[in-house]
Amino acid sequence: MRKKLVLTGLFACMLMFAFAQVSIKGTVVDGLKVPIAGISIQVKGSSVGTSTDQDGKFTISAPSSTATLIFSSTGYTRQEAPLNGRENLMITMEESSTELTEVVVTALGIKRERKALGYSVTEVKGEELTQARETNVMNSLAGKVAGLNVSAGSGGPGASNNVLIRGVSSIGGTTPPLYVVNGIPMENPRNAQGGGQFDNAPDLGDAIGNLNPDDIESISVLKGAAASALYGYRAKAGVVMITTKSGKADGIEFNSNFVGEQIMDLTDWQYVYGQGISNVKPTTGTAAAQSGGSSWGGLLDGSMVPQFDGVERPYSAARGNLRKFYRTGSAWTNTLTLTKAFEGGSIRLSGSNLDNKSVVPNSDLGRQTFNLAGIFQPIKNLNIDARVNYILESAKNRAVLSDGAGNANFQTMFLPTSLDVNDLNPGTNPDGSERVFNANNTFATNPWFAAYNFQNDTKRERLISSLSARYDFDKGYYVQGRVARDNYTDSYVNVVPTGTAYRQLGSMQQRNTEFVDMNADLLVGGTFDIGDFNIAPVLGGAYRNTTTLTTNNAGNDFAVPFVYNVMNLKNKNLSYTDDRLEVQSAFANVEFSFRDYLFLTTSLRSDWFSSLATPGQNNKLNVVYPSLNSSFIFTELWKPSFFNFGKVRLGYAQVGAATNPYQTLLTYSLLSESINGYPLGSISNADIPNRGLIASRATELEIGTELTMFNNLLSIDATWYNKVSNDEIIPVALSQTTGYSGAVLNSGSLQNKGFEALITARVIRNNDGFGWTTSLNGSINNNKVRRMAEGTINMPMGLSRSGVGSVQHQLGLPSFQIMAYDYKYDDAGNIVYLETGVPDRGDLIPVGSAIPKWTAGWNNEFNYKRLNFSFLIDGKWGGKIYSGTDFYGYTNGLHQNTLENREGNFAPDGSTTTTEASTYYGQLVQNVSKLNVYSADFIKLRQIIVGYTFPSLFNDKVKSLNISAVARNPFILMRKTDNIDPEASYSTIVPGMELGGVPPIRSFGVNLSVKF
């Protein structure tokens, strides 16, 4: 009831601000009289604004017939047009000599002209995120930004992703960038698996994936330290700045996007031999159940043979099990937006609903988002920006990843070649227990039982609110204060049901997490003109307080079968954690400019950490982060005829990474067990603490240029950078006999050096309305682990379930090395074989980094009058992946390579040993696991959009209507991996390993956008 009253009040507020306005219409064209879409129009002196549609038309409400409208857009000269009583305008925009005169929002929300920036910033408009959309908005950036590497996990809808800016920023894992929403930092914890050998849980998603793309105005990627230095300790991994939409004009907008989803079956298993062992097909139901997942049987001949349930079925190839098990999924998003502009402000209210039916049976994700943005000017010079984002998200039966227990994906992938997955359906016996098909391995859960009986459900209720107030004094000074609160409550329920083969009495876990992140800052700034010089200083301070409270109820053995309640567990345990962090900061930023072509900006930030405090020790709590960047518009002094604009830039800065709480001293926790009524306690530190711990920092130098040439036909944005991270916090491994897994040390150093570029060409600009714009972005990143703790040359990060493939950091090599066993060689370099004929195991060697060295994206946009067509191709090169899928493909007799000498003896001539194919290939991939390490290079057709924009309809009651056919990830144009997607991963924290995940998904659908 309370929620309904709040929403009713929000709508009532909008109606209260309905005033009579002067309605102004018009059309905006270029010098060739071609209509221009996307031109921003704003009423001067107010926040009221709108933009032109595909026909260059606009409608806006002005407070009076004497108001002035401002027209602006990237690539065009800014214009001011006084109305002077006119109600219909024709505006001709002139192409600017540079695309860089626009104002952009930089760190801390400070607005600066793009030409003044001494660092690289890439902006992606919100419209690019809403047509061929992804459930997690960050996945939509794949291939669109040079230096940005986006990889989605294999956990299905709502799973987390891995976002890297200019390579890996920390030895401790793939740390995500800082996300800043409307100037306020937002934490993005990822609830993903850590990469352990026995990981067996779903990916529960991240925080950034909750945002609704329809509410996003733009996303700016601050790539380097110079761009993000004002965020100090939170900026080491780069910054992604998100600006959400606000009300610009009166109107109603409705967006609807529907896509169908289907898996891509990339497997190429052998279908010559079927289920069985020793090249013999099963003769009894018991023999079939004992052979389980083995495809080492006889030739598939179509004869009738008994299967696991004793029923005789044709001994024939059961192709397409993946397509039979996974359903056609769908994602339907509907967003309704109401905006109202009035004298002194505007309001925007949106409501959105996402209904995502996963391709995994009995799995879905629902999300409802409500967003309210109000901009007010209650008195002259005072501007107030208030925003509230309320999110409800519920996921049912999130897919289990990696190990096979309870994992429907795992078992479906590795079924014997003669066993149809539909013959395992239903997955339950009449008594409700699991219908077992593999008597030899009770952890091989029937996929239908896993899908319909296991529970992995999550719920999230989240409220993101912010308030900003800025007062501009008449002499150019201003003071600005902001406060924001991000609060969400998570609930996770995991149930291993009664009757599960590997846990007959079942088990349950119920975890509740409350997260509260408070951020506040105060800025004072101004602008001074001294002759040809302009000086703009900013002083400020920031405060952050974060609390994470987690309660975990878990146990096993249900007293009453099939009653899934924690109170019904015979054996229960309870745990509770309370994590708190406080950071206080002070900063200063000064921008100097000379004659509007030479710019110099310097900043300094100091952060004081509660997580560095050690009672009884007066250790240093603060870290200082300086920065300096400059830009020079050389075409203001020297301008060849083919140049429209030229700029060089230079940036230097230091940034850091926050330390986790409770690493400087021993900390304790209470256990659920008790003695004589008193609870037991234990040390909660996994690693030996470090009293002298300091925050890590990174130093980066970047040099770049921005060029526009040939009458704005060609533009180039290129950057070289060198970033070195020091004082990396590394938990150095120790002997388990110490009682700890490691010791926390400041001992690591990591380097990223590279080059990135964006090249854009407006190839065709005809006055008949046809246009073609193409852009190519690419980057190369050279990463190296420079230093570890004394005496340490490697650091384990993850281990595959197979036990013979892993990920480590290796001193002197790029981070996240895939480790695998090589052949053993004799002194002459020949492979050494065992008596069985199987190659002997050699050394554990690094085969290559899991992080790609090269990334690229090629985007093309074609327009003809109201018709538009675009496609995006992207690729990555230089990375490696260890395939757990192919490991089990070998051991289970599924891999095509296991057909060689299938019925022969692999033992050498003269040997008394007989080695059949199942023994040989099973031992082969155990001994020489590098056979399952592949190049992760790929080229993908990432998206296709074909759309048409109708002119205004029904006497201008419908201002704009656009309908598009969209496709996302429709084709893989090139890959070098057998049977798997080269982007597959069961951990977004430790990349480079895949197993038991949801297959890659392609989607096709329709997008509708209507404005009234």
Side-chain angles (χ1 to χ4, degrees):
M1 182 66 184
R2 180 173 60 88
K3 296 176 183 176
K4 292 181 179 179
L5 290 173
V6 171
L7 292 176
T8 303
L10 293 177
F11 280 105
C13 288
M14 294 184 65
L15 296 176
M16 290 172 61
F17 290 105
F19 294 100
Q21 303 278 303
V22 178
S23 180
I24 308 299
K25 298 180 180 180
T27 304
V28 180
V29 297
D30 62 15
L32 299 175
K33 302 305 179 184
V34 176
I36 311 174
I39 298 293
S40 297
I41 304 117
Q42 187 173 11
V43 178
K44 188 174 182 178
S46 78
S47 59
V48 179
T50 186
S51 59
T52 57
D53 60 20
Q54 292 294 320
D55 293 321
K57 295 183 178 180
F58 69 91
T59 301
I60 191 170
S61 297
S64 72
S65 60
T66 60
T68 297
L69 301 185
I70 300 173
F71 297 81
S72 62
S73 181
T74 301
Y76 296 93
T77 301
R78 181 177 181 270
Q79 288 195 43
E80 294 189 9
L83 293 181
N84 296 329
R86 296 177 296 171
E87 296 184 1
N88 200 310
L89 303 178
M90 173 65 74
I91 303 296
T92 301
M93 299 291 288
E94 296 180 0
E95 289 190 359
S96 172
S97 59
T98 173
E99 296 181 337
L100 307 168
T101 55
E102 64 176 310
V103 174
V104 296
V105 179
T106 62
L108 295 178
I110 299 173
K111 294 182 179 181
R112 300 183 61 191
E113 286 188 307
R114 184 182 287 271
K115 65 181 180 181
L117 303 181
Y119 45 78
S120 176
V121 176
T122 299
E123 185 178 76
V124 178
K125 297 296 185 183
E127 302 84 64
E128 299 183 43
L129 312 173
T130 56
Q131 291 183 311
R133 67 177 67 203
E134 295 266 4
T135 303
N136 190 317
V137 66
M138 288 304 296
N139 294 335
S140 299
L141 295 183
K144 294 181 178 179
V145 178
L148 182 70
N149 181 5
V150 181
S151 301
S154 300
S160 63
N161 56 31
N162 184 16
V163 178
L164 301 178
I165 300 176
R166 292 184 177 175
V168 177
S169 63
S170 175
I171 291 180
T174 55
T175 306
L178 171 67
Y179 293 93
V180 178
V181 181
N182 298 318
I184 306 298
M186 183 187 82
E187 283 297 286
N188 185 47
R190 292 173 295 178
N191 297 306
Q193 300 192 58
Q197 181 178 13
F198 301 104
D199 281 352
N200 179 230
D203 183 321
L204 303 183
D206 52 22
I208 193 64
N210 297 152
L211 299 185
N212 175 26
D214 289 305
D215 290 326
I216 295 177
E217 181 77 27
S218 65
I219 295 180
S220 295
V221 182
L222 308 184
K223 303 175 188 177
S228 55
L230 279 173
Y231 289 111
Y233 74 101
R234 307 177 81 172
K236 189 177 176 187
V239 176
V240 176
M241 298 191 64
I242 299 174
T243 302
T244 60
K245 295 177 180 178
S246 55
K248 293 182 178 180
D250 296 354
I252 301 174
E253 182 176 352
F254 176 70
N255 293 314
S256 182
N257 178 275
F258 180 85
V259 295
E261 300 176 338
Q262 59 179 208
I263 66 160
M264 289 187 272
D265 185 355
L266 303 181
T267 59
D268 183 25
W269 298 142
Q270 63 84 15
Y271 288 97
V272 180
Y273 295 86
Q275 185 181 30
I277 57 175
S278 301
N279 300 317
V280 177
K281 58 188 176 184
T283 56
T284 66
T286 300
Q290 288 293 330
S291 63
S294 169
S295 291
W296 295 107
L299 285 167
L300 293 170
D301 56 9
S303 60
M304 301 298 289
V305 299
Q307 292 191 350
F308 69 99
D309 54 359
V311 177
E312 290 192 343
R313 298 183 180 93
Y315 196 58
S316 303
R319 298 179 184 271
N321 274 333
L322 291 179
R323 290 191 298 272
K324 294 173 184 175
F325 177 76
Y326 293 100
R327 63 186 179 181
T328 298
S330 64
W332 193 9
T333 306
N334 293 286
T335 302
L336 178 65
T337 304
L338 308 177
T339 58
K340 179 64 182 178
F342 50 89
E343 187 174 4
S346 65
I347 287 182
R348 179 184 184 273
L349 175 64
S350 71
S352 180
N353 180 72
L354 166 66
D355 183 10
N356 191 329
K357 305 295 184 184
S358 172
V359 295
V360 179
N362 195 39
S363 176
D364 55 63
L365 175 83
R367 183 189 302 144
Q368 294 77 46
T369 305
F370 303 93
N371 194 292
L372 174 65
I375 299 176
F376 309 97
Q377 193 177 47
I379 61 175
K380 182 182 177 182
N381 297 339
L382 176 62
N383 291 280
I384 296 176
D385 188 328
R387 298 173 189 259
V388 178
N389 193 1
Y390 182 61
I391 302 162
L392 294 170
E393 183 178 274
S394 176
K396 176 184 178 184
N397 194 23
R398 288 181 181 265
V400 174
L401 304 176
S402 188
D403 200 2
N407 186 346
N409 306 302
F410 188 103
Q411 307 306 336
T412 306
M413 175 69 74
F414 301 119
L415 285 178
T417 51
S418 57
L419 182 58
D420 194 305
V421 68
N422 285 325
D423 292 333
L424 276 61
N425 193 18
T428 55
N429 295 312
D431 63 355
S433 64
E434 179 186 352
R435 189 177 177 213
V436 177
F437 74 95
N438 188 341
N440 229 15
N441 181 10
T442 57
F443 289 95
T445 308
N446 186 309
W448 299 105
F449 186 80
Y452 286 95
N453 295 77
F454 276 68
Q455 293 181 29
N456 286 289
D457 302 340
T458 61
K459 290 184 178 180
R460 169 172 288 183
E461 182 175 5
R462 186 176 188 184
L463 182 67
I464 306 172
S465 54
S466 66
L467 177 65
S468 173
R470 171 172 168 144
Y471 188 85
D472 292 281
F473 296 90
D474 292 334
K475 293 186 178 181
Y477 310 108
Y478 71 88
V479 58
Q480 175 180 287
R482 291 180 298 200
V483 62
R485 186 176 189 267
D486 185 4
N487 171 220
Y488 59 79
T489 302
D490 282 350
S491 171
Y492 169 55
V493 176
N494 163 252
V495 174
V496 177
T498 304
T500 299
Y502 69 85
R503 193 173 295 160
Q504 287 288 334
L505 298 180
S507 63
M508 185 174 181
Q509 176 188 13
Q510 183 170 314
R511 185 172 70 233
N512 294 293
T513 302
E514 182 176 4
F515 176 83
V516 180
D517 190 21
M518 290 287 298
N519 287 272
D521 61 37
L522 180 68
L523 286 76
V524 178
T527 302
F528 303 92
D529 290 316
I530 307 174
D532 292 330
F533 290 90
N534 178 275
I535 303 175
V538 176
L539 297 174
Y543 172 81
R544 178 193 178 198
N545 187 291
T546 302
T547 302
T548 306
L549 307 176
T550 304
T551 303
N552 190 62
N553 279 288
N556 53 55
D557 299 352
F558 290 105
V560 180
F562 307 106
V563 177
Y564 302 133
N565 187 300
V566 290
M567 300 305 295
N568 186 39
L569 293 167
K570 293 181 180 179
N571 305 297
K572 295 186 284 287
N573 61 76
L574 171 67
S575 64
Y576 174 79
T577 60
D578 183 343
D579 286 345
R580 299 174 186 267
L581 173 68
E582 181 175 310
V583 181
Q584 300 173 5
S585 307
F587 50 82
N589 184 84
V590 184
E591 177 187 338
F592 303 90
S593 64
F594 175 72
R595 293 186 178 179
D596 213 28
Y597 67 79
L598 181 62
F599 302 88
L600 176 68
T601 302
T602 182
S603 71
L604 195 69
R605 173 167 173 143
S606 182
D607 295 317
W608 285 263
F609 303 90
S610 67
S611 57
L612 296 181
T614 305
Q617 183 171 328
N618 187 25
N619 55 331
K620 184 180 179 182
L621 300 183
N622 78 303
V623 181
V624 178
Y625 304 104
S627 79
L628 181 70
N629 67 83
S630 64
S631 69
F632 171 47
I633 316 299
F634 65 81
T635 47
E636 292 295 320
L637 301 180
W638 174 73
K639 189 173 184 179
S641 59
F642 59 89
F643 261 111
N644 300 100
F645 177 85
K647 163 186 167 181
V648 292
R649 58 176 189 254
L650 174 68
Y652 171 86
Q654 290 185 347
V655 289
T659 59
N660 294 326
Y662 317 129
Q663 295 190 95
T664 60
L665 282 177
L666 288 176
T667 56
Y668 302 87
S669 59
L670 297 176
L671 304 177
S672 57
E673 296 83 6
S674 62
I675 295 180
N676 298 325
Y678 292 94
L680 294 174
S682 68
I683 295 173
S684 56
N685 299 71
D687 302 307
I688 297 176
N690 184 347
R691 290 174 176 266
L693 199 66
I694 62 175
S696 64
R697 74 167 69 214
T699 302
E700 183 175 16
L701 172 68
E702 74 169 76
I703 302 171
T705 185
E706 295 165 49
L707 308 172
T708 304
M709 298 172 285
F710 310 119
N711 194 25
N712 296 310
L713 174 66
L714 179 68
S715 63
I716 300 173
D717 186 339
T719 306
W720 173 89
Y721 61 89
N722 185 12
K723 180 178 180 181
V724 178
S725 301
N726 290 307
D727 296 324
E728 285 284 316
I729 300 174
I730 301 177
V732 179
L734 296 176
S735 170
Q736 295 295 322
T737 58
T738 63
Y740 297 91
S741 60
V744 180
L745 298 176
N746 280 113
S747 58
S749 179
L750 188 70
Q751 182 180 39
N752 287 281
K753 183 189 296 183
F755 178 81
E756 60 197 23
L758 170 63
I759 302 172
T760 303
R762 301 175 66 185
V763 182
I764 300 176
R765 294 178 293 172
N766 289 344
N767 56 10
D768 62 356
F770 181 71
W772 173 26
T773 300
T774 184
S775 63
L776 176 67
N777 73 78
S779 65
I780 177 172
N781 179 268
N782 292 292
N783 173 273
K784 184 171 71 173
V785 178
R786 300 172 71 240
R787 188 172 62 253
M788 290 185 175
E790 185 177 352
T792 302
I793 61 172
N794 61 64
M795 177 181 174
M797 295 299 297
L799 178 62
S800 170
R801 180 63 181 88
S802 68
V804 291
S806 61
V807 177
Q808 296 183 8
H809 293 318
Q810 290 275 318
L811 185 63
L813 296 177
S815 57
F816 293 100
Q817 287 290 313
I818 306 295
M819 306 296 294
Y821 290 102
D822 196 2
Y823 291 99
K824 185 175 183 179
Y825 301 95
D826 60 21
D827 294 339
N830 301 310
I831 296 175
V832 176
Y833 291 88
L834 300 172
E835 185 180 349
T836 58
V838 179
D840 200 358
R841 175 180 289 182
D843 296 330
L844 184 67
I845 61 171
V847 187
S849 174
I851 308 299
K853 184 175 183 178
W854 298 276
T855 62
W858 181 36
N859 189 54
N860 287 269
E861 298 179 358
F862 301 87
N863 295 279
Y864 180 70
K865 296 183 178 179
R866 299 188 181 95
L867 181 69
N868 66 280
F869 167 69
S870 66
F871 67 88
L872 171 65
I873 295 175
D874 76 318
K876 300 176 185 178
W877 297 265
K880 300 289 185 179
I881 185 171
Y882 175 79
S883 174
T885 294
D886 277 347
F887 172 87
Y888 286 101
Y890 273 96
T891 57
N892 289 0
L894 295 167
H895 202 285
Q896 287 279 1
N897 290 350
T898 64
L899 292 176
E900 184 178 352
N901 200 25
R902 183 75 172 218
E903 300 182 35
N905 180 19
F906 283 86
D909 294 339
S911 174
T912 58
T913 302
T914 298
T915 304
E916 62 182 27
S918 60
T919 301
Y920 175 83
Y921 287 109
Q923 292 182 5
L924 175 66
V925 291
Q926 285 279 350
N927 290 354
V928 191
S929 55
K930 78 170 187 178
L931 293 173
N932 292 326
V933 178
Y934 297 98
S935 166
D937 296 355
F938 72 84
I939 301 175
K940 292 186 177 183
L941 179 56
R942 189 65 71 176
Q943 71 179 36
I944 304 173
I945 302 173
V946 181
Y948 186 82
T949 300
F950 293 87
S952 57
L953 304 172
F954 307 110
N955 294 323
D956 207 28
K957 292 182 179 179
V958 177
K959 298 177 182 178
S960 175
L961 188 153
N962 176 270
I963 186 167
S964 304
V966 300
R968 186 74 181 166
N969 300 308
F971 304 111
I972 301 178
L973 303 178
M974 184 276 288
R975 64 183 172 97
K976 297 182 178 180
T977 51
D978 291 343
N979 305 304
I980 64 168
D981 179 8
E983 289 191 284
S985 175
Y986 66 80
S987 172
T988 55
I989 297 173
V990 179
M993 300 180 294
E994 70 75 42
L995 179 64
V998 180
I1001 296 171
R1002 57 164 62 99
S1003 62
F1004 302 91
V1006 178
N1007 189 80
L1008 174 68
S1009 177
V1010 187
K1011 296 180 181 180
F1012 301 93

